[in-house]
Amino acid sequence: MAQIFEHTIKVLFQHCDPAGIVFYPRYFEMVNQTVEEWHEVGLKHSFSQMHLDSGYGVPTVSIGAEFTAPSKMGDVLSWSLIVTKLGRTSAHLHIEARCRDELRMTATPVLVSVHMETGRPVPWSDEIRHRMQQYLAPSE
Amino acid sequence: MAQIFEHTIKVLFQHCDPAGIVFYPRYFEMVNQTVEEWHEVGLKHSFSQMHLDSGYGVPTVSIGAEFTAPSKMGDVLSWSLIVTKLGRTSAHLHIEARCRDELRMTATPVLVSVHMETGRPVPWSDEIRHRMQQYLAPSE
Amino acid sequence: MAQIFEHTIKVLFQHCDPAGIVFYPRYFEMVNQTVEEWHEVGLKHSFSQMHLDSGYGVPTVSIGAEFTAPSKMGDVLSWSLIVTKLGRTSAHLHIEARCRDELRMTATPVLVSVHMETGRPVPWSDEIRHRMQQYLAPSE
Amino acid sequence: MAQIFEHTIKVLFQHCDPAGIVFYPRYFEMVNQTVEEWHEVGLKHSFSQMHLDSGYGVPTVSIGAEFTAPSKMGDVLSWSLIVTKLGRTSAHLHIEARCRDELRMTATPVLVSVHMETGRPVPWSDEIRHRMQQYLAPSE
């Protein structure tokens, strides 16, 4: 059974637009934060370690998103993350945000492991790959 | 022949991340800015008129994006926008950013016309629909 | 003795600039978040209640800030807030961020209580004033 | 007579908060953009040249700001910048934003020239100092 990475983010004043709801680029900041927390807590390999020490990064090369219901200031969003496909140098994620069981948004980013100086893809280390596999959903 | 809406945005220090390239949520701010400029200049119906006077809005209900090459501080991005599908209450857009002819990102947002207070979809006005049609790409 | 409002914010990838340190406008987002948390937790009057229900707001009319040492990705910042002066319609705050006892930044925002529709200052309610006074530092 | 650096920034949807006016941390992004444009256009030494090629930066070590009147979506802000004090390694600036002659905000950032790797202050080059002096307001 795949593990699900979960954390929460509260919707703040600064996330909201003149319509009083989350401005959608802010959702992508939350998606990025979710991926960042997953690296630190779930994969035990923080972004700062990765970027500053190891010299590699995990840029997002594509993303799809659906905004199914608006979120308001003060809403506490429950984020969940699973891996849907794990390649040699890439990882496909499925991320959801819910508030009181209502689905608010889904995002499907594809990350690629790259060497920071060359920008070239590099295979996941065995350690990272092993940890990512724990979040890999069984394909139907 | 469909018109193409075009404008430029320079990549600033504030758009860039510790890797020195545009942080992808900032691209979505630029996509939103492109849609906003198109409304003001192309559709002659500014966001401020729309939100403050007419009481309706055009939330993005879904979006896909590909980041094909990184952008650096100082790069001048040429943005282009066309309509790929025009529904009764929705519009599918295709947006691209290039720098010196290199494709940097594409985004495919779907906008829906909604009444701000009720959140319900409302048909485009004849005037807006007419102007949007000028940007509608002929389907292959 | 004055109470001090305290909370923490972790420095994320999205807060950092190409120099790898917190971009200073992001510090002001954190200052605003600190004021927002203080309202919800300390004053028991959340921003969403205030803005959406009561129809008043607390815009920042001026702010001073010093950035004494840089913050990096992964740093956990400890924020503290006290009131230094409480007027009929205004409040002067002193906010600090520290990491492992090193001072990173101080900010001195002045908030004014205003009616949202008119934009006119309105006196703090007795309840809010009473709660704010608990955070009022004794003047030297 | 001192020169004044001037440019304009239009207030976009993304700058505005649930009250429909510019969220103040976004003003600091605009202040930073003004300093960045001044470097590129006024001082002929772009941020990308400076950061990527020369290896030095100009962090803001302190800033004061007053928000004298709110700005709304669609407002075109006229920004002006002068130097009020020029030190060996620092520069004090006075920046204003106006809309149709109404003052909206003033900011007084202090920049320091630093070597990026060491974080140590370094004197302005003769060339930069010479160009900055053209923007130096005569002291009263």
Side-chain angles (χ1 to χ4, degrees):
Chain A
M1 274 301 289
Q3 258 187 285
I4 298 172
F5 177 74
E6 294 174 311
H7 77 141
T8 58
I9 302 174
K10 186 158 66 177
V11 175
L12 301 171
F13 188 77
Q14 66 202 69
H15 299 128
C16 296
D17 66 18
I21 60 176
V22 172
F23 179 50
Y24 82 84
R26 306 288 166 246
Y27 271 131
F28 290 107
E29 297 181 20
M30 297 182 197
V31 166
N32 197 71
Q33 182 179 346
T34 301
V35 171
E36 190 171 346
E37 286 293 317
W38 175 54
H39 271 76
E40 182 167 337
V41 176
L43 304 180
K44 313 222 179 307
H45 191 59
S46 74
F47 266 32
S48 55
Q49 266 180 281
M50 194 197 322
H51 284 90
L52 306 178
D53 306 343
S54 320
Y56 81 91
V58 285
T60 298
V61 294
S62 73
I63 193 164
E66 294 197 24
F67 309 102
T68 42
S71 296
K72 294 214 171 78
M73 225 189 314
D75 284 352
V76 176
L77 300 179
S78 300
W79 292 82
S80 65
L81 176 157
I82 56 168
V83 178
T84 54
K85 193 178 160 190
L86 186 55
R88 212 174 58 94
T89 62
S90 67
H92 294 236
L93 308 180
H94 181 93
I95 292 174
E96 288 183 1
R98 288 172 187 276
C99 183
R100 292 179 301 276
D101 293 324
E102 184 184 55
L103 183 64
R104 295 294 173 81
M105 77 96 70
T106 57
T108 52
V110 177
L111 310 183
V112 171
S113 165
V114 300
H115 193 275
M116 297 273 278
E117 267 183 42
T118 63
R120 294 272 175 80
V122 285
W124 302 111
S125 71
D126 287 349
E127 205 175 340
I128 294 294
R129 162 177 294 281
H130 179 74
R131 289 196 181 122
M132 280 188 171
Q133 268 164 341
Q134 299 177 323
Y135 295 91
L136 183 62
S139 50
E140 292 99 76
Chain B
M1 276 299 289
Q3 258 187 285
I4 297 172
F5 178 73
E6 293 173 313
H7 78 139
T8 59
I9 302 174
K10 186 158 64 177
V11 174
L12 300 171
F13 187 77
Q14 67 203 69
H15 300 128
C16 296
D17 66 18
I21 60 176
V22 172
F23 178 52
Y24 82 85
R26 306 288 166 247
Y27 271 131
F28 290 107
E29 296 181 18
M30 296 182 198
V31 165
N32 198 72
Q33 183 179 347
T34 301
V35 171
E36 189 171 346
E37 285 294 317
W38 175 53
H39 270 77
E40 182 166 339
V41 176
L43 304 181
K44 313 218 179 316
H45 191 60
S46 73
F47 266 32
S48 56
Q49 264 181 285
M50 194 197 320
H51 283 90
L52 307 178
D53 305 343
S54 319
Y56 81 91
V58 285
T60 298
V61 293
S62 73
I63 193 164
E66 296 196 22
F67 309 102
T68 44
S71 296
K72 294 213 171 80
M73 225 190 313
D75 284 352
V76 176
L77 301 179
S78 300
W79 292 82
S80 66
L81 176 158
I82 56 168
V83 178
T84 54
K85 192 176 158 191
L86 186 55
R88 213 174 58 96
T89 61
S90 67
H92 294 236
L93 309 180
H94 181 92
I95 293 175
E96 288 183 2
R98 290 172 185 275
C99 182
R100 293 178 302 276
D101 292 325
E102 185 184 55
L103 183 63
R104 296 294 173 82
M105 78 96 71
T106 56
T108 51
V110 177
L111 311 183
V112 171
S113 165
V114 300
H115 193 275
M116 298 273 278
E117 268 183 44
T118 64
R120 294 275 175 79
V122 285
W124 303 111
S125 71
D126 287 349
E127 204 174 341
I128 294 293
R129 160 176 294 280
H130 179 73
R131 289 194 181 125
M132 280 189 170
Q133 268 165 341
Q134 298 177 324
Y135 296 90
L136 183 62
S139 50
E140 292 99 76
Chain C
M1 275 300 290
Q3 258 188 283
I4 298 174
F5 177 74
E6 292 173 314
H7 78 140
T8 59
I9 302 175
K10 186 158 64 177
V11 175
L12 300 171
F13 187 78
Q14 67 202 68
H15 299 127
C16 296
D17 66 18
I21 60 176
V22 172
F23 178 52
Y24 81 83
R26 306 287 166 249
Y27 271 130
F28 289 108
E29 297 181 18
M30 296 181 198
V31 165
N32 197 71
Q33 182 178 347
T34 301
V35 171
E36 190 171 344
E37 285 293 318
W38 174 53
H39 270 76
E40 182 168 337
V41 176
L43 305 181
K44 313 220 180 311
H45 191 59
S46 73
F47 266 32
S48 55
Q49 264 181 285
M50 194 197 321
H51 283 89
L52 306 178
D53 305 342
S54 320
Y56 81 91
V58 284
T60 298
V61 293
S62 72
I63 193 164
E66 295 197 22
F67 309 102
T68 43
S71 297
K72 294 214 170 78
M73 226 188 314
D75 284 352
V76 175
L77 301 179
S78 300
W79 291 82
S80 66
L81 177 158
I82 56 168
V83 178
T84 54
K85 192 175 159 192
L86 186 55
R88 212 174 57 95
T89 62
S90 66
H92 294 235
L93 309 180
H94 180 94
I95 292 174
E96 287 183 2
R98 290 171 186 274
C99 182
R100 294 179 301 274
D101 292 325
E102 184 183 56
L103 184 63
R104 296 293 172 82
M105 77 95 71
T106 56
T108 51
V110 177
L111 311 183
V112 171
S113 165
V114 301
H115 193 274
M116 297 274 278
E117 266 183 44
T118 63
R120 294 273 175 79
V122 284
W124 303 112
S125 70
D126 287 349
E127 204 174 341
I128 294 294
R129 160 176 296 281
H130 178 73
R131 291 196 180 123
M132 281 188 171
Q133 268 164 342
Q134 299 177 323
Y135 296 90
L136 183 62
S139 50
E140 292 99 80
Chain D
M1 276 298 290
Q3 258 186 284
I4 298 172
F5 177 74
E6 293 174 312
H7 78 141
T8 59
I9 302 174
K10 186 159 66 179
V11 175
L12 301 171
F13 187 76
Q14 66 201 67
H15 299 128
C16 296
D17 66 17
I21 60 176
V22 172
F23 178 51
Y24 81 84
R26 306 287 166 247
Y27 271 130
F28 289 107
E29 297 181 19
M30 296 182 197
V31 165
N32 197 71
Q33 182 178 348
T34 301
V35 171
E36 190 170 346
E37 286 292 318
W38 176 54
H39 271 77
E40 182 167 338
V41 176
L43 305 180
K44 313 218 181 311
H45 191 59
S46 73
F47 266 33
S48 55
Q49 265 181 281
M50 193 198 319
H51 283 89
L52 306 178
D53 306 342
S54 320
Y56 81 91
V58 285
T60 298
V61 293
S62 72
I63 194 164
E66 295 197 22
F67 308 102
T68 43
S71 296
K72 293 214 171 79
M73 224 189 315
D75 284 352
V76 176
L77 300 179
S78 300
W79 292 83
S80 65
L81 176 158
I82 56 169
V83 178
T84 54
K85 193 177 159 190
L86 186 55
R88 211 174 59 94
T89 62
S90 67
H92 294 235
L93 309 180
H94 180 93
I95 292 175
E96 288 183 1
R98 290 173 185 274
C99 182
R100 292 179 301 274
D101 293 324
E102 184 184 56
L103 183 64
R104 296 293 173 80
M105 75 96 72
T106 58
T108 52
V110 177
L111 310 183
V112 171
S113 166
V114 300
H115 193 275
M116 297 273 278
E117 267 183 44
T118 62
R120 294 274 176 78
V122 285
W124 302 111
S125 72
D126 286 351
E127 204 175 340
I128 294 295
R129 160 176 296 281
H130 179 73
R131 290 198 180 120
M132 280 189 170
Q133 268 164 341
Q134 299 177 323
Y135 295 90
L136 183 60
S139 49
E140 290 99 81

